[in-house]
Amino acid sequence: MKIVTYNINGIGARLQNLLRWLTERTPDVVCLQELKAPQEKFPEAAIREAGYGVIWHGQKSWNGVAILSRGCEPSELRRVLPGDPEDAHSRYIEATVRGIKIGCIYLPNGNPYPGPKFDYKLRWLGRLLTHAAELAASPMPVVLAGDFNIIPTEKDVYKPERWVNDALFRIEVREAFVRLASQGWTDAVRTLHPDATIYTFWDFFRDAYRRDAGLRIDHLLLNPALRGRLRAAGVDRDVRGWEKPSDHAPTWIELSE
DNA sequence: ATGCCGTGGAAACCACGA
């Protein structure tokens, strides 16, 4: 069973790209972020025709998350991260799919640092830690997958010294990632590839993909009830080289049944 | 190097992303 997280960066502009990738790679579960589409403009019919059940939480212009499931319907559990009724961003959706609880995350970017956007990121992280503690302790298998906008360590960025005051690499944010791990979450890709240089994002400019000037910011975290089923993990980095690509690449895990 | 590209939405530019 293959579970993938993919920041699509505008599902309107990326639909053909997405459908090709679904057809070629046939992932079982897909967590999408940055739909950049209002609820009513999500291309539901095209995705269902490709053989996927789907739930989504759209928003005009920005954000937006979705969970796709091949051959069955995701069973929605929530479409908001608890803890702040004032938060109007579409950044979280959670469902049960084939006996696994899936939390699809689009964490705030937080730049520029310092400032209100960074403060919002830290508040969002606080809420995530609260919710994640419950999920980590659950006897049910859970994966938290998404664009975390967190570079966990120096190994996960092409030139760490350039990023020390960036909201993706600030110490507060990396410490939050460590706190997640201490709740029992396993960073699937890093666990299976402890020494490899692995990126999931390359900027659109400065020829970043060709230079391999990337970041590892898309993650799949497994709770203790699930981690024993982890068989493989990786990044479909060639997809970043397709026509009209997102700046992120699909990042995946393979689980035993 | 602090938006050079790219998207969406509104307006022929602006906000936002990482």
Side-chain angles (χ1 to χ4, degrees), chain A residues 22 26-30 47-54 67-74 97-98:
Chain A
L22 288 174
T26 60
D28 296 294
V29 181
V30 183
I47 284 170
R48 291 195 181 281
E49 275 169 39
Y52 286 81
V54 62
I67 299 176
L68 283 59
S69 171
R70 193 159 61 86
C72 65
E73 209 56 40
V97 182
R98 303 176 201 224

Side-chain angles (χ1 to χ4, degrees), chain A residues 212-239:
Chain A
D212 199 25
L215 312 174
R216 191 174 76 92
I217 55 177
D218 300 275
H219 308 297
L220 297 115
L221 306 185
L222 315 183
N223 79 339
L226 181 59
R227 67 180 169 218
R229 288 171 58 184
L230 179 62
R231 292 294 172 267
V235 180
D236 285 350
R237 58 174 289 149
D238 62 302
V239 175

Side-chain angles (χ1 to χ4, degrees), chain A residues 61-117:
Chain A
S61 305
W62 302 304
N63 310 315
V65 285
I67 299 176
L68 283 59
S69 171
R70 193 159 61 86
C72 65
E73 209 56 40
S75 177
E76 182 171 322
L77 297 166
R78 56 176 74 242
R79 53 177 52 219
V80 172
L81 184 67
D84 182 4
E86 304 292 304
D87 184 2
H89 292 199
S90 299
R91 294 183 176 277
Y92 188 79
I93 192 165
E94 186 180 289
T96 305
V97 182
R98 303 176 201 224
I100 297 179
K101 200 180 277 193
I102 315 274
C104 173
I105 288 174
Y106 178 45
L107 229 137
N109 174 301
N111 277 307
Y113 167 85
K117 290 186 177 177

